[in-house]
Amino acid sequence: MTQKQLKEAFVSNLNGTTLLEISLGFSVAPLCLFCRGLLLILYYLHCGKPLSSRKYNLLLDFVVLISPLVFSCTVLSPVIFYVPPVIAAICAGIFSKIYSQRKHDSGVSFRQIVNNFQKTYLDPEYIPSITLFRVYVNVLTSISILAVDFPQYPRRYAKTETYGTGVMDLGVGAFIFCNALVCPEVRQKSCATPPKFSFLTKQFFSIWPLIFLGVGRLVSVKSIEYHEHISEYGVHWNFFFTLAFVRLAASLILTIFPKSKSWIVAINLAVFYQLILNFTSLKMFVLHGSNGKDTRVGFLNANREGLLSLFGYLAIYMASVQVGLYLLKRRNSVKEWAEALYSLILMVLVLFLFLHLSQAYIDPVSRRMANLPYCLWVLAHCLTFCICFIAIDLMLVFTKLLVSGASVPCCWNVLQPARSSKKHDMETVPVKGKSKLLHICLITAIDKNQLLFFLLANVMTGIVNIMIDTIHSKTSFTLVVLHLYMFFNCLIMYILHAKNIVLKFW
């Protein structure tokens, strides 16, 4: 076999892993974020000032926010069930140290602190959990697209062939989800709705970078005979085309149906598509082609997975628009966000129930077809991921209020803490008045240039695969390569953010 054939076989015919393992693996990111926040607060508590060095901020962010994810999907994957409890225990120890030192200086009871915390007012204009979710989906995707070519990345995490739940299968749907969370229809104020024709025209021209990137990837892959897994999207199709067409189709649909009813459109799309798969020959066509022998003759046969999965991805996008509208609903206090968390948890439980029923009585999860169980799985896990980030944000706000003046980047701004008659009650944290330096963190840096970060990761992945025989790499070499690759990508984003450069020209 040639090197190209070896690499294609290395990522083919895989069956995925369990839902529980994926859930535990994804919980590492929010826990790392909580650990980073607690470390910054502890530093402020001891030094009386925030960590001001850009160099040390970048180093801390990379070591705490990025490196554990690289280890979790490589050498720590056999013991992944122990990783979240260990990080949680470290966080508990740091929090205990912060609380004990604060309690030594204050006579306010823990119950009073909690009561005051519930009445604290937060900045309704900035919801950090949305930013965190989108950035971490990008980061995890960037790690996986290169790590999957190394033997240290478990085959059960890679994309499945036909049915199954792999980490990378979820990443594809999560990318659709996070794009819909901040789409123009979600961010657009109802009182300033532009004319439909001009809005559609703007959306049509806004997808040209994705079309350009899709064509660029197609030409480059074919010209250098880069290895590719054809059953993912087809011969000519790729994920950039999927992103572009899903976004354009959603904009067209949302000019007809009100965005507040997008969940109804999502349900109808997913159910109707599943019915067609089950009661016609469409499923056999997707899996085996028009002749039943996996033919790739003709454009539709050649790209059947990419073209027909658009229906499932569009259903995910429309459902995610509804989630985005719910998350961006104006909430001012911690108590209101706690109530929102309760509603989101109920929603997740319902989705997992329907996922279980659909897998038992309809079909297993299939990313290749983007069927109904796949849509339910993506929505359930993405909402769970969002819930984790919201909960972590609230816990960081609580911890910040214990230490007057402490600040954590990419965390809620406290507008007005609850007051009491106690002299040493919690005080406000005037984040907006702090130096801009405090806001230069890796999360914000990647958020400012997310498409560039994803593009850079794809280019670097191609370069590494051309230069290195990845499938025969030793463990130590793999870890060095993955860390250098991620550090280089993060460093570029960090430098651009420090210089206030946003490379967006469309």
Side-chain angles (χ1 to χ4, degrees):
M1 295 176 71
T2 65
Q3 188 73 5
K4 179 176 182 289
Q5 290 172 329
L6 281 172
K7 290 193 173 184
E8 286 174 353
F10 194 56
V11 294
S12 301
N13 302 313
L14 305 173
N15 299 313
T17 184
T18 63
L19 300 182
L20 179 59
E21 184 172 14
I22 293 174
S23 298
L24 283 171
F26 269 72
S27 69
V28 172
L31 286 170
C32 288
L33 186 80
F34 188 41
C35 185
R36 191 277 301 256
L38 292 174
L39 287 172
L40 289 173
I41 295 171
L42 185 63
Y43 180 88
Y44 181 88
L45 186 64
H46 280 284
C47 300
K49 62 178 182 179
L51 182 62
S52 57
S53 169
R54 291 181 178 180
K55 178 175 64 177
Y56 290 127
N57 266 304
L58 174 60
L59 184 61
L60 175 68
D61 283 356
F62 187 81
V63 170
V64 180
L65 301 181
I66 306 297
S67 190
L69 304 180
V70 176
F71 282 109
S72 293
C73 66
T74 51
V75 293
L76 293 181
S77 57
V79 291
I80 191 64
F81 287 88
Y82 299 102
V83 175
V86 169
I87 300 176
I90 294 171
C91 291
I94 300 172
F95 177 81
S96 176
K97 188 174 181 64
I98 293 171
Y99 181 74
S100 63
Q101 293 191 4
R102 189 265 173 190
K103 187 177 180 182
H104 179 73
D105 298 327
S106 174
V108 182
S109 67
F110 184 78
R111 178 176 293 182
Q112 183 62 46
I113 293 173
V114 172
N115 290 337
N116 291 338
F117 169 65
Q118 291 177 343
K119 300 171 185 175
T120 298
Y121 284 89
L122 305 171
D123 184 359
E125 301 300 324
Y126 173 60
I127 304 170
S129 55
I130 295 177
T131 300
L132 295 167
F133 174 84
R134 297 181 70 244
V135 167
Y136 262 112
V137 166
N138 211 331
V139 167
L140 289 165
T141 302
S142 299
I143 294 172
S144 295
I145 59 175
L146 178 58
V148 71
D149 294 315
F150 290 90
Q152 290 73 23
Y153 189 89
R155 297 301 88 194
R156 65 185 186 275
Y157 288 1
K159 288 179 180 175
T160 56
E161 187 68 29
T162 302
Y163 295 105
T165 52
V167 173
M168 294 186 72
D169 293 316
L170 179 60
V172 176
F175 229 97
I176 297 289
F177 184 94
C178 67
N179 273 270
L181 284 184
V182 293
C183 70
E185 290 83 4
V186 171
R187 291 182 281 110
Q188 178 182 295
K189 303 296 182 182
S190 57
C191 58
T193 305
K196 290 182 179 180
F197 179 76
S198 62
F199 180 74
L200 277 177
T201 304
K202 183 178 180 182
Q203 294 310 301
F204 179 78
F205 283 106
S206 71
I207 66 169
W208 75 262
L210 295 172
I211 300 293
F212 177 78
L213 292 173
V215 172
R217 176 178 172 80
L218 172 64
V219 172
S220 60
V221 165
K222 299 300 180 184
S223 61
I224 65 174
E225 295 189 351
Y226 188 76
H227 66 278
E228 53 182 333
H229 191 188
I230 290 178
S231 64
E232 285 185 23
Y233 300 104
V235 177
H236 312 102
W237 203 262
N238 58 58
F239 189 56
F240 289 111
F241 291 140
T242 295
L243 282 175
F245 280 90
V246 164
R247 180 171 171 179
L248 185 60
S251 294
L252 288 168
I253 291 173
L254 291 170
T255 60
I256 302 171
F257 297 94
K259 57 187 179 183
S260 60
K261 305 296 181 183
S262 58
W263 66 277
I264 298 177
V265 178
I267 291 174
N268 280 280
L269 265 173
V271 171
F272 183 65
Y273 176 52
Q274 185 64 51
L275 288 173
I276 294 177
L277 284 173
N278 281 10
F279 294 103
T280 69
S281 59
L282 186 64
K283 183 188 296 186
M284 294 301 297
F285 172 72
V286 175
L287 299 180
H288 305 293
S290 57
N291 66 350
K293 298 180 180 179
D294 202 28
T295 177
R296 294 288 173 177
V297 178
F299 183 77
L300 186 57
N301 266 305
N303 303 286
R304 56 185 184 265
E305 293 92 350
L307 292 170
L308 292 171
S309 63
L310 287 173
F311 292 101
Y313 289 126
L314 184 57
I316 293 172
Y317 191 98
M318 296 302 294
S320 307
V321 167
Q322 193 73 55
V323 174
L325 291 171
Y326 182 76
L327 291 177
L328 289 176
K329 184 180 177 182
R330 191 175 183 87
R331 297 179 182 88
N332 298 312
S333 67
V334 168
K335 185 177 181 181
E336 288 177 317
W337 273 106
E339 292 171 353
L341 266 182
Y342 177 74
S343 300
L344 289 171
I345 291 171
L346 288 179
M347 197 183 306
V348 166
L349 292 176
V350 170
L351 285 170
F352 272 116
L353 173 63
F354 280 112
L355 172 61
H356 175 74
L357 294 174
S358 65
Q359 288 207 99
Y361 299 105
I362 299 176
D363 243 350
V365 171
S366 173
R367 184 261 322 149
R368 188 174 178 183
M369 290 182 283
N371 58 2
L372 175 62
Y374 176 76
C375 296
L376 291 170
W377 176 52
V378 168
L379 291 170
H381 268 280
C382 286
L383 274 176
T384 303
F385 208 29
C386 283
I387 288 169
C388 290
F389 281 123
I390 294 172
I392 292 300
D393 283 335
L394 291 175
M395 286 190 282
L396 283 176
V397 169
F398 180 83
T399 313
K400 281 198 307 180
L401 292 173
L402 296 175
V403 182
S404 178
S407 180
V408 178
C410 293
C411 182
W412 257 307
N413 296 332
V414 177
L415 296 183
Q416 182 185 345
R419 297 286 182 179
S420 77
S421 58
K422 296 283 186 183
K423 182 180 178 180
H424 298 285
D425 196 9
M426 294 182 293
E427 298 178 4
T428 187
V429 182
V431 177
K432 292 185 177 180
K434 293 289 180 184
S435 167
K436 184 181 177 181
L437 186 61
L438 292 179
H439 298 278
I440 298 182
C441 74
L442 194 52
I443 299 294
T444 309
I446 296 173
D447 180 53
K448 293 295 182 183
N449 286 288
Q450 287 216 44
L451 183 57
L452 177 64
F453 182 80
F454 184 59
L455 176 61
L456 184 61
N458 276 269
V459 172
M460 289 295 296
T461 296
I463 292 172
V464 171
N465 271 281
I466 291 170
M467 295 178 63
I468 296 173
D469 179 13
T470 56
I471 60 176
H472 296 109
S473 297
K474 301 293 184 182
T475 300
S476 57
F477 181 75
T478 297
L479 292 174
V480 170
V481 170
L482 289 175
H483 276 88
L484 287 176
Y485 154 80
M486 285 304 298
F487 186 77
F488 176 78
N489 292 347
C490 292
L491 180 62
I492 297 297
M493 298 302 107
Y494 200 81
I495 292 172
L496 290 175
H497 181 51
K499 295 182 178 298
N500 199 28
I501 298 174
V502 179
L503 296 179
K504 184 174 182 179
F505 43 86
W506 58 91

